[in-house]
Amino acid sequence: MTDAQETAADVSLRTTGGGPPDDGGSSGAEAPIPLLEPREGIPPVIADEAALAEVIAAFAAGTGPVAVDAERASGYRYGQRAYLVQLRRAGAGTALIDPVACPDLSGLGEALSGVEWVLHAATQDLPCLREIGMIPSRLFDTELAGRIAGFPRVGLGAMVEGVLGFVLEKGHSAVDWSTRPLPEPWLRYAALDVELLVDLRDALEKELDRQGKLEWALQEFDAIASAPPAEPRKDPWRRTSGMHKVRRRRQLAVVKELWEARDRIAQRRDVSPGKVLSDAAIVEAALALPVNVHALAALNGFGHRMGRRQLEQWQAAVDRARGLAEVQLPQPGQPVTGPPPPRAWADKDPAAAARLSAARAAVSALAESLNMPQENLITPDTVRRVCWEPPSVVTAETVGAALAGLGARAWQVEQVTPVLVAALSA
């Protein structure tokens, strides 16, 4: 048994990272141990089909849960594709796979079908894993487990240190993982990210069970695993940073044209859109509405080291927006589905505003008593929708049905329904 396994097998959790102390357990005074090398050393990067077939066979023959992680190149490349996939399973060891050289990992995904996948912040990695054919049927999310258990710091490093007593080196989390070949220190970091993930899972399962929250967590994990892929975001250009400064419809059209032109260029060049043109520059041009390249070059974000050809392509986008007919201009704001913003409730429906105020206070108090973040107990949007359009007859059955209809899990319905009934009836 390794040191990490012995630590995880201990009934009490370490509390150096601020986790919930076990009754009568460790004082958390032990100094954390730096984790410098993977147990079996840094494995070679799998970059061809023959080596991948060996990994698939080894992991299919392994036992217990499989730790899974993925590294992206956010801020460097276009999109959120995976540039390295890390796995670890008892009996198989650790594998590092290059999904650029091996873009179809559906065979590996099928070999692990039915196996519990252990991920940290699963919703961040699942989209890029899905792209390469890796889709879990069962999972355990150690970050979400930490939230439900009431840990105040739920990053992987904080959780490993607080629960298992080991320090992970986190210096390479924001590097350009599309780099080839990947430097050895980066590969060591990547291997260590899955080194203790199953140990962490086992310890957190015990803590959740001790708190009476294990079934809650399992329902959350099932919801994540069964959720369909997210729908493409409508009008993504509206999320440009600094959009609150843009008020006129003609200016909104400039943002839209520049954003879409930037996106096409970034996709073609496979670079992060922010490396093509900054959001601040887009907003600057929208506010100024420059009439020619010379005026554009005088704006922040355009003049410094930008060539004539680049300036002309951005000015062409501005000119397209300037030439649109009034009826073609985008409307300010997006169509609202559901309740209006809460700040408008007092004017639109004072009774609904009072219901929301009471419900928020009640849910907040309940979350505090359960020692978990309010948004993990029930989403704020769900509370708003029930308060804006409550059942015509407020009972535990009708409120519970409304919550379930909005996607609340069974454990959330059970916990939240009584306090919402009281708030809606006040």
Side-chain angles (χ1 to χ4, degrees):
M1 178 178 283
T2 67
D3 290 341
Q5 289 168 327
E6 289 173 354
T7 307
D10 194 334
V11 174
S12 62
L13 295 185
R14 294 172 57 95
T15 57
T16 55
D22 197 49
D23 296 335
S26 167
S27 65
E30 304 93 334
I33 303 166
L35 195 65
L36 303 177
E37 288 290 335
R39 296 173 204 180
E40 300 93 20
I42 303 173
V45 177
I46 304 303
D48 61 66
E49 294 303 319
L52 178 60
E54 293 181 9
V55 164
I56 292 174
F59 275 79
T63 58
V66 56
V68 182
D69 191 21
E71 305 295 347
R72 300 177 297 278
S74 304
Y76 297 94
R77 296 288 182 174
Y78 185 86
Q80 294 295 316
R81 68 173 295 183
Y83 283 94
L84 187 70
V85 175
Q86 309 102 280
L87 304 99
R88 183 173 180 83
R89 193 182 189 194
T94 297
L96 304 178
I97 303 175
D98 179 359
V100 177
C102 302
D104 182 5
L105 298 186
S106 56
L108 178 59
E110 291 166 8
L112 297 172
S113 177
V115 175
E116 182 187 82
W117 295 22
V118 184
L119 301 101
H120 192 80
T123 53
Q124 294 182 20
D125 286 340
L126 288 178
C128 70
L129 290 170
R130 183 185 293 271
E131 286 181 2
I132 52 180
M134 295 186 65
I135 305 171
S137 56
R138 297 169 50 214
L139 64 83
F140 190 106
D141 186 333
T142 49
E143 186 207 43
L144 183 52
R147 291 181 183 277
I148 294 172
F151 285 80
R153 298 168 60 223
V154 292
L156 180 59
M159 293 292 289
V160 167
E161 181 177 341
V163 176
L164 300 178
F166 289 86
V167 178
L168 292 178
E169 195 276 309
K170 299 297 289 183
H172 302 300
S173 59
V175 298
D176 181 3
W177 287 95
S178 68
T179 301
R180 293 295 184 273
L182 286 164
E184 182 177 295
W186 300 11
L187 297 174
R188 180 182 296 107
Y189 157 88
L192 289 174
D193 258 7
V194 292
E195 181 82 4
L196 299 180
L197 211 46
V198 174
D199 298 284
L200 180 60
R201 172 241 180 269
D202 292 345
L204 288 173
E205 181 181 57
K206 290 181 180 180
E207 176 63 14
L208 287 165
D209 190 42
R210 185 188 74 83
Q211 295 185 25
K213 298 176 179 176
L214 180 57
E215 177 57 31
W216 303 357
L218 295 178
Q219 289 182 32
E220 292 300 302
F221 303 156
D222 286 344
I224 294 173
S226 60
E231 293 290 329
R233 194 183 299 278
K234 185 179 180 182
D235 289 347
W237 60 270
R238 291 185 183 272
R239 294 178 62 84
T240 303
S241 180
M243 276 289 288
H244 62 281
K245 303 175 186 176
V246 181
R247 303 296 175 87
R248 292 157 49 194
R249 292 175 63 197
R250 184 76 58 187
Q251 295 172 330
L252 289 173
V254 172
V255 173
K256 181 176 185 291
E257 289 289 344
L258 284 171
W259 190 98
E260 292 177 347
R262 179 184 70 174
D263 196 64
R264 289 191 296 271
I265 295 166
Q267 187 170 10
R268 186 177 70 246
R269 290 169 48 189
D270 189 19
V271 296
S272 169
K275 289 187 174 295
V276 176
L277 188 67
S278 70
D279 280 8
I282 289 177
V283 170
E284 186 90 2
L287 296 176
L289 291 172
V291 295
N292 54 42
V293 168
H294 180 74
L296 181 68
L299 301 177
N300 289 334
F302 290 95
H304 184 58
R305 291 188 300 178
M306 188 172 285
R308 177 80 182 187
R309 176 186 251 178
Q310 290 176 294
L311 288 169
E312 287 174 349
Q313 72 184 1
W314 302 129
Q315 184 60 44
V318 174
D319 290 343
R320 286 194 296 272
R322 291 174 64 89
L324 291 174
E326 194 72 22
V327 294
Q328 297 175 298
L329 297 177
Q331 294 295 328
Q334 294 172 285
V336 176
T337 57
R343 63 180 178 272
W345 285 31
D347 293 330
K348 291 178 178 292
D349 189 338
R355 289 193 296 267
L356 181 61
S357 178
R360 282 174 162 174
V363 170
S364 177
L366 177 60
E368 186 173 348
S369 71
L370 295 173
N371 191 30
M372 71 167 62
Q374 186 173 326
E375 64 270 17
N376 292 116
L377 173 60
I378 193 75
T379 68
D381 181 67
T382 298
V383 175
R384 285 194 296 269
R385 288 174 183 269
V386 172
C387 290
W388 185 251
E389 292 184 355
S392 55
V393 178
V394 175
T395 65
E397 290 72 23
T398 59
V399 172
L403 290 172
L406 291 168
R409 265 67 73 190
W411 76 270
Q412 294 176 314
V413 172
E414 180 183 359
Q415 293 296 318
V416 174
T417 294
V419 299
L420 280 189
V421 169
L424 295 173
S425 303

